[in-house]
Amino acid sequence: MGNIITVGGSHDTHTTSTLTHKHRHNTHSHTHRQQSFSLFRQKKTMTRAALLLATVTAAAAALTIGASQQVLATPAWQQQQQQQQQQQQQQVIDAVGAAAAAESLIGEFRVSITAELLRELQLTKTDDYLLPPLDGRILLLLAKSAEVEPRFQIGLQRKSNDGVIVYGDTQQVFGKDVDDWDGRSVAFRPFDPSIDGFPLKSVWEIPDGEYFAQAVLNVYKTYHRSDGHTVKLHPDRGEGQHWSRSPGNLFTKNPLKVVVKNHRLVGGSVPVPLDAVMGPLPPSDEEENQYIRRVSVKSKLLSKFWGTDTNISAVVLLPEGFWDEKHKNAKYPLLVYEGHFSREWATPVRFRSKPHSHNCNGYQCVEQAYAYYLYRNWTSTDASSGSPFVGRRAIIVTLQHANPYYDDSYAVNSANLGPYGDAIETELIPEVERQFRAIGEGWARVLYGGSTGGWESVGVLMKYPNNYAGAWASCPDPLDFRAYVSMNIYEDDNAYYYPASWRRTPRPEQRGRLGQLFATMEEANLYELALGRNSRSGDQFDIWQAVFSPVGADGYPEPIFDKRTGKINRTTAEYWRENYDLSHIAKRDWKTLGPLLTGKVRLYTGTMDSFYLDSGVRLFQETVDSLVNPPWGGTFTYGIDERGVGFEHCWGGDDSIPVKISRLTENQRFHAEMIDQILKLAPPNADVTSWRY
């Protein structure tokens, strides 16, 4: 088995094989070995650059000795030299190890649970998994400012005050797993292979300066799944898989100021205490009323799979007049909005009965104003008002299916997440329709959503084609894995770099509207790795892997590529192709899917999607446009503004206004089209009148 020893920077990795050692030394090698180790007796005063130079010099000298002795090559001499070279290679290993030890003089951070908090946890009546000994991932966070807690400064992207996704200046995170942890001190030191870091990989790389340190324990729960695997994952606690604010997680209440000088932690060993528990989420500001209702069901299917009670929920928007006596016999179409977890009804615009508040800020005021605009349109009874909802009443439902991997299950069955697709279709949707007088037939339901919800809208329609009349999908996640962001998982060898003989050109992951590079594939995945191994970051690439991959031998998702090197797993890629590549599935199964899908899909994407998702849409279009008997019959719309600049993520069909505004008007813009599709597919004698008031 190979030994990997990392020296210095993020890419200085040397791999050596295990050697068989003969205890024989000639004069040259013995003398050199003494010289090699003498270099490190001065390690306390050596700079990092000098130390690495000394290591490389020693290694080169050792190998040069062996090379110079190859001149006379009798068989006996060759055997002797082979043995000496093995000894000399071991010297290199020893020298590099000594360098690592020297570099560790930077000191270390030590994270522990305070005695007071341990006592508090033992006395608290809570879920067993939140009581010591604990499983989870310790996240050590370093930030240059404490105006906002470090835990809220971690991320590759953020939303600006005007609602645009922009480059996120993430602060530093190091992650380390703990199992059956009693709260005693855990060290974060250089060259610990159990630690993952981002943007810096090693504690050694921290530049000189002042920082604020904070620790978080993202607590894991043990699941004994019905497939026979036991896994440890963070259960969603109603926050949508956000480790930085998940109730029950432990954290450092007051971040500590630390100083690094001359590559050393001032003080040597710096304690970072876990002394507080993240409390319950604040109450939702959205109360149930005549329009907003909530439904939650305990899923028998998911509870069996996960080995514990598992609920899925929905937030329902009822039509104007639903409670009126004159409409008590009306039954309504159901519009299912697919998207990320939200505690409130959000599509993504919310439903607000008041104008924006006086204390709102920036884009928040815009969102509130458009939420009120939707309310006025939705509740209008005036046919001359221009409201698309007058005469086309329906129920709109948003789904909540956060799970131990992400804030959303992608609404399909998965080997790692379980039968979320079946649970939603056979348990949750029927219960919503039963409680609120929905028509309850496939011709009277449609799907819509963007990004994750865009993929779900198309994917759910293809997996359950009889259940829906159509799908309106904006900026969908990769529909064709030949364009998995910026790589082809079937033909490319590496997820992080384009193939080349001499160059290492990074693959992009996120861009600005004018083509600015905001993040690379490697950065995005190393960031996730720092947050959690085994697809446990709660972030984007890890949930794609959890949904699309088979179960690995350890019970966790089989990687589509190595998170550290980017090497693509061909076997896993083939599994993805056959089960979740929607372009491939449409072509493969068109004989049976075609009659059920023709004319049902409307797709929208900007041509400068922030995450390169437009490429997958184009490849999907190339595939489905070639299908016949019946023809595809759906539509594709690509967003470019009047200047010829493509729209970013998540464009949804209106090229007259910015994306940050158009995303808030999709209900009004799509509603008439969706109702027309329902009426088109309504069977003879169906109820198409009681809800058209």
Side-chain angles (χ1 to χ4, degrees):
M1 183 175 294
N3 301 311
I4 299 179
I5 302 170
T6 305
V7 179
S10 60
H11 297 294
D12 300 325
T13 301
H14 303 271
T15 304
T16 62
S17 59
T18 302
L19 303 176
T20 302
H21 304 291
K22 304 287 186 180
H23 298 291
R24 297 174 61 184
H25 302 268
N26 64 20
T27 303
H28 292 288
S29 63
H30 180 71
T31 301
H32 177 73
R33 189 168 193 171
Q34 291 179 325
Q35 292 171 345
S36 175
F37 279 108
S38 70
L39 291 170
F40 303 106
R41 296 194 183 103
Q42 306 170 39
K43 58 190 176 185
K44 291 186 178 180
T45 59
M46 296 179 70
T47 66
R48 178 174 183 263
L51 183 60
L52 294 178
L53 178 60
T55 302
V56 172
T57 302
L63 295 177
T64 301
I65 293 170
S68 67
Q69 294 175 337
Q70 296 288 335
V71 180
L72 298 176
T74 65
W77 184 257
Q78 287 180 333
Q79 182 179 9
Q80 181 184 19
Q81 294 313 299
Q82 183 179 13
Q83 294 169 351
Q84 291 175 354
Q85 281 185 311
Q86 290 174 343
Q87 295 164 0
Q88 291 154 7
Q89 289 170 9
Q90 182 60 35
Q91 292 173 23
V92 175
I93 296 172
D94 293 343
V96 174
E103 291 188 350
S104 71
L105 289 175
I106 184 177
E108 60 189 16
F109 296 91
R110 302 197 68 86
V111 178
S112 62
I113 305 175
T114 62
E116 293 81 1
L117 182 56
L118 281 171
R119 285 194 293 270
E120 179 183 330
L121 292 174
Q122 294 289 2
L123 295 173
T124 301
K125 293 182 179 179
T126 186
D127 294 320
D128 288 344
Y129 79 92
L130 294 173
L131 300 174
L134 296 164
D135 298 323
R137 188 159 179 89
I138 300 175
L139 301 175
L140 174 65
L141 316 170
L142 298 176
K144 295 183 178 180
S145 167
E147 291 183 12
V148 177
E149 288 183 58
R151 61 183 167 131
F152 300 126
Q153 298 185 54
I154 307 299
L156 285 181
Q157 55 190 261
R158 62 181 178 84
K159 194 174 282 187
S160 65
N161 286 338
D162 62 353
V164 177
I165 296 175
V166 298
Y167 176 83
D169 185 17
T170 186
Q171 299 300 289
Q172 178 66 36
V173 54
F174 296 104
K176 183 173 184 174
D177 290 339
V178 288
D179 293 297
D180 296 320
W181 186 38
D182 61 6
R184 290 188 228 181
S185 182
V186 172
F188 281 74
R189 57 170 66 100
F191 307 109
D192 181 344
S194 68
I195 295 174
D196 306 292
F198 184 82
L200 306 178
K201 293 182 180 179
S202 171
V203 174
W204 170 258
E205 298 176 73
I206 302 172
D208 288 357
E210 295 183 350
Y211 304 94
F212 293 90
Q214 184 179 41
V216 170
L217 176 66
N218 192 30
V219 184
Y220 292 163
K221 177 179 178 178
T222 298
Y223 293 91
H224 303 283
R225 294 194 317 220
S226 63
D227 62 359
H229 290 290
T230 297
V231 293
K232 296 180 179 182
L233 301 163
H234 179 73
D236 183 73
R237 302 275 291 179
E239 85 290 349
Q241 281 293 351
H242 292 287
W243 57 267
S244 60
R245 54 186 175 87
S246 182
N249 277 356
L250 312 186
F251 72 109
T252 306
K253 188 173 183 178
N254 297 306
L256 301 128
K257 189 174 183 179
V258 298
V259 178
V260 177
K261 187 175 182 181
N262 296 326
H263 288 288
R264 297 181 183 181
L265 273 169
V266 174
S269 179
V270 177
V272 185
L274 291 166
D275 56 4
V277 181
M278 297 181 195
L281 298 172
S284 170
D285 62 0
E286 179 181 77
E287 298 180 355
E288 287 194 331
N289 54 47
Q290 70 183 88
Y291 299 108
I292 299 294
R293 285 288 192 269
R294 287 178 168 78
V295 176
S296 183
V297 299
K298 175 185 172 182
S299 168
K300 293 181 180 179
L301 295 170
L302 294 170
S303 297
K304 179 181 179 182
F305 177 82
W306 285 104
T308 188
D309 289 352
T310 304
N311 290 354
I312 48 177
S313 306
V315 187
V316 182
L317 178 64
L318 298 175
E320 175 65 26
F322 179 85
W323 302 104
D324 293 356
E325 181 67 20
K326 63 182 177 180
H327 300 306
K328 67 179 182 180
N329 294 320
K331 292 189 175 182
Y332 301 90
L334 185 71
L335 315 183
V336 180
Y337 180 81
E338 302 278 9
H340 289 284
F341 174 89
S342 173
R343 296 172 67 198
E344 293 76 34
W345 188 92
T347 60
V349 69
R350 291 182 58 185
F351 187 77
R352 182 183 173 88
S353 61
K354 302 175 183 178
H356 68 76
S357 63
H358 295 296
N359 59 354
C360 63
N361 180 47
Y363 185 62
Q364 183 185 46
C365 300
V366 176
E367 290 180 307
Q368 292 181 4
Y370 275 89
Y372 179 58
Y373 173 55
L374 174 61
Y375 169 83
R376 292 181 60 188
N377 281 174
W378 187 257
T379 59
S380 176
T381 58
D382 182 0
S384 65
S385 67
S387 167
F389 309 117
V390 177
R392 304 182 187 91
R393 303 300 177 182
I395 299 168
I396 302 180
V397 61
T398 64
L399 308 179
Q400 296 174 328
H401 40 116
N403 56 78
Y405 280 105
Y406 197 52
D407 77 347
D408 185 287
S409 71
Y410 277 69
V412 293
N413 295 343
S414 163
N416 291 288
L417 273 69
Y420 270 94
D422 288 351
I424 292 169
E425 297 301 319
T426 66
E427 296 176 325
L428 182 58
I429 295 294
E431 181 60 19
V432 170
E433 293 180 326
R434 184 192 68 79
Q435 289 192 30
F436 300 110
R437 303 198 317 266
I439 293 169
E441 297 181 31
W443 64 268
R445 301 186 196 104
V446 298
L447 299 148
Y448 71 116
S451 193
T452 291
W455 190 96
E456 289 173 326
S457 296
V458 180
V460 170
L461 179 63
M462 291 180 63
K463 298 286 186 179
Y464 303 93
N466 289 310
N467 289 11
Y468 296 94
W472 276 252
S474 304
C475 57
D477 287 1
L479 300 177
D480 189 312
F481 298 145
R482 292 175 295 169
Y484 184 59
V485 187
S486 57
M487 66 169 167
N488 180 334
I489 69 170
Y490 310 123
E491 296 182 3
D492 291 327
D493 292 321
N494 194 282
Y496 295 165
Y497 295 95
Y498 290 101
S501 298
W502 295 89
R503 300 170 57 190
R504 281 173 62 84
T505 303
R507 294 185 188 274
E509 187 268 341
Q510 183 186 349
R511 63 183 171 184
R513 191 178 173 194
L514 298 180
Q516 314 96 307
L517 180 62
F518 284 169
T520 67
M521 286 287 293
E522 184 176 31
E523 288 176 328
N525 282 277
L526 292 181
Y527 163 69
E528 291 190 6
L529 183 62
L531 295 182
R533 293 182 175 183
N534 294 320
S535 293
R536 293 183 291 191
S537 70
D539 223 300
Q540 187 61 74
F541 286 93
D542 278 347
I543 186 56
W544 282 338
Q545 184 165 274
V547 173
F548 302 149
S549 286
V551 179
D554 58 1
Y556 297 98
E558 189 68 38
I560 183 62
F561 53 79
D562 187 300
K563 279 277 191 181
R564 293 182 177 82
T565 67
K567 177 68 177 176
I568 295 174
N569 184 326
R570 285 278 187 269
T571 303
T572 304
E574 285 305 310
Y575 182 92
W576 283 35
R577 188 205 304 263
E578 294 304 316
N579 292 278
Y580 299 100
D581 187 319
L582 299 185
S583 184
H584 171 76
I585 292 170
K587 184 175 182 179
R588 182 193 67 196
D589 299 340
W590 191 246
K591 184 176 180 179
T592 54
L593 277 179
L596 304 174
L597 291 181
T598 183
K600 283 188 173 183
V601 180
R602 312 285 187 274
L603 275 161
Y604 307 88
T605 185
T607 60
M608 283 294 290
D609 185 272
S610 309
F611 307 102
Y612 302 85
L613 300 177
D614 51 306
S615 299
V617 175
R618 292 184 187 279
L619 289 176
F620 184 78
Q621 181 178 8
E622 287 180 11
T623 298
V624 299
D625 278 353
S626 68
L627 301 174
V628 295
N629 298 323
W632 168 249
T635 63
F636 292 82
T637 306
Y638 298 92
I640 302 174
D641 70 12
E642 72 280 357
R643 300 170 298 168
V645 178
F647 284 105
E648 72 274 28
H649 193 78
C650 178
W651 186 76
D654 188 341
D655 59 8
S656 66
I657 52 178
V659 169
K660 62 186 178 183
I661 303 299
S662 66
R663 66 192 291 269
L664 304 177
T665 64
E666 289 183 1
N667 292 291
Q668 290 94 326
R669 289 188 289 108
F670 292 160
H671 191 81
E673 288 183 17
M674 292 191 287
I675 296 302
D676 287 347
Q677 177 73 359
I678 286 171
L679 293 172
K680 178 182 176 181
L681 296 185
N685 303 318
D687 176 8
V688 294
T689 57
S690 69
W691 46 275
R692 295 173 70 187
Y693 57 85

